[in-house]
Amino acid sequence: MQEHKTTHLEELGRLRKIQGQIRGVIKMIEDRRYCIDILTQIAAVQGALQRVQESILERHLRSCVSETVAAGSDAERATKVNEIIELLRKTRR
């Protein structure tokens, strides 16, 4: 198990807001709201999740990855690079 230096507490507030937005989408569907309104709200949720993802990735690159690049072994550096490559492959599908 890897030690995690970041807590991502900064994202909790944003994720709780997104959670509320999702509950709102559910309510909109239950209330049979107009499709475009529902789709607009879903797009807002997706954008908010994207921003949280970008924030976590940026913090990871600036802390975990940069520390490994500065002080890690060649194998550790290669592992970090491979993790990022695999993450980008997964998120771009």
Side-chain angles (χ1 to χ4, degrees), residues 8 11-20 49 52 56:
H8 308 297
E11 283 78 30
L12 283 179
R14 295 162 97 185
L15 288 169
R16 287 189 179 104
K17 182 177 178 186
I18 293 166
Q19 186 178 36
L49 279 171
V52 170
I56 292 172

Side-chain angles (χ1 to χ4, degrees), residues 60-83:
H60 178 66
L61 292 171
R62 292 186 187 279
S63 62
C64 303
V65 174
S66 65
E67 288 172 11
T68 300
V69 167
S73 68
D74 288 343
E76 290 170 323
R77 285 191 287 273
T79 297
K80 292 292 182 195
V81 169
N82 290 333
E83 287 174 348

Side-chain angles (χ1 to χ4, degrees), residues 5-87:
K5 294 176 174 63
T6 56
T7 63
H8 308 297
L9 294 175
E10 297 85 350
E11 283 78 30
L12 283 179
R14 295 162 97 185
L15 288 169
R16 287 189 179 104
K17 182 177 178 186
I18 293 166
Q19 186 178 36
Q21 288 176 297
I22 291 170
R23 282 193 299 271
V25 170
I26 292 168
K27 177 101 172 84
M28 291 174 80
I29 291 170
E30 290 171 346
D31 293 347
R32 297 176 176 259
R33 296 274 303 271
Y34 185 55
C35 298
I36 296 299
D37 294 341
I38 295 168
L39 292 168
T40 299
Q41 188 60 34
I42 290 171
V45 169
Q46 289 173 321
L49 279 171
Q50 182 70 33
R51 287 186 294 280
V52 170
Q53 182 182 36
E54 289 168 0
S55 175
I56 292 172
L57 177 59
E58 180 179 351
R59 191 171 301 109
H60 178 66
L61 292 171
R62 292 186 187 279
S63 62
C64 303
V65 174
S66 65
E67 288 172 11
T68 300
V69 167
S73 68
D74 288 343
E76 290 170 323
R77 285 191 287 273
T79 297
K80 292 292 182 195
V81 169
N82 290 333
E83 287 174 348
I84 298 301
I85 290 169
E86 185 58 29
L87 173 70

